[in-house]
Amino acid sequence: VRNDSTGCIDTLVKLIKFSNIDSFRFTTSTKMGCKPLTVTLTAVEDTNIVAYLWDIGNGTLVFGNNYVAKYFNEGKFVVKMFVKYRNGCVMESTQKDTITVIGVKPNFNFDKASGCVPAIINLKDTSQSRFSPLSNYTWNFHDGSTASGSEVSHTFNALGSFPVKLTVENQYGCKDSITKPVTISEVKADFDID
């Protein structure tokens, strides 16, 4: 502190004491998993803390020293916890890339969605998995046949509409599926002789 009229300079030091430096830290029940992922966030309890506020990284803000968060989308989420002490001080605790939610986005293409008996349909996986490579592909043609692999050919020997289902799985065991219809018809020859 300086007094301009007298030119005197003085210093004042005041010690601010926290009861527990660990009191504004938190733990998570898991750091990575398949969507939807449930994570329990737990703050270190301290009797000098009067309020806890969580920013769970997906736009949700909640109060309380413990919270069960649900993550429905794939991505990396940074969790922040704010604590308010009795003396009015507010502290923030952040853990970088706290939660990683893994998922798969199934999809496939085929060379044709319809055909005549016997119809040979070529199918190709176009699924995506952001944080883990795909490791398993299971096809169900709903005609009593199944196949595995990212690219398959299948012959439909019966008439009808068949819901072709692809289930994909990544290395962490995250699974999802998609179904697309294939229609098989018969050839009808129709002509007149003049």
Side-chain angles (χ1 to χ4, degrees):
V1 179
R2 180 178 179 159
N3 186 327
D4 287 338
S5 62
T6 62
C8 295
I9 298 175
D10 194 6
T11 303
L12 173 67
V13 176
K14 186 170 185 179
L15 179 64
I16 299 174
K17 183 179 177 186
F18 289 97
S19 60
N20 182 355
I21 197 69
D22 290 327
S23 64
F24 61 93
R25 296 205 175 128
F26 63 92
T27 61
T28 60
S29 59
T30 187
K31 294 204 177 282
M32 182 183 293
C34 300
K35 71 175 187 175
L37 181 64
T38 301
V39 179
T40 301
L41 305 169
T42 306
V44 174
E45 291 190 47
D46 185 332
T47 56
N48 289 314
I49 295 176
V50 295
Y52 297 84
L53 173 67
W54 297 92
D55 175 348
I56 66 170
N58 64 1
T60 303
L61 299 173
V62 292
F63 289 97
N65 63 325
N66 297 314
Y67 182 69
V68 177
K70 292 193 183 277
Y71 295 89
F72 296 97
N73 297 315
E74 185 178 21
K76 289 185 180 264
F77 301 91
V78 176
V79 175
K80 297 177 183 177
M81 181 190 70
F82 301 89
V83 296
K84 182 177 181 182
Y85 287 88
R86 290 186 192 285
N87 63 7
C89 292
V90 175
M91 302 289 287
E92 174 189 341
S93 178
T94 302
Q95 294 180 13
K96 186 175 169 90
D97 294 336
T98 314
I99 307 296
T100 302
V101 181
I102 303 167
V104 294
K105 294 177 184 169
N107 202 6
F108 66 90
N109 293 325
F110 33 56
D111 60 348
K112 55 189 171 187
S114 62
C116 298
V117 173
I120 298 172
I121 309 289
N122 298 305
L123 303 109
K124 182 178 181 180
D125 169 70
T126 58
S127 304
Q128 297 176 352
S129 181
R130 199 165 133 201
F131 298 110
S132 171
L134 294 170
S135 59
N136 196 9
Y137 310 84
T138 305
W139 301 86
N140 186 335
F141 302 104
H142 287 90
D143 65 352
S145 299
T146 60
S148 61
S150 62
E151 294 184 38
V152 298
S153 284
H154 181 69
T155 303
F156 289 91
N157 291 308
L159 301 175
S161 182
F162 299 91
V164 176
K165 181 178 182 180
L166 170 64
T167 302
V168 291
E169 180 178 3
N170 65 18
Q171 290 180 336
Y172 287 101
C174 305
K175 290 183 183 181
D176 205 348
S177 62
I178 188 171
T179 302
K180 295 182 181 181
V182 170
T183 303
I184 309 301
S185 56
E186 63 183 336
V187 175
K188 292 184 182 179
D190 187 19
F191 61 91
D192 291 323
I193 299 178
D194 288 329

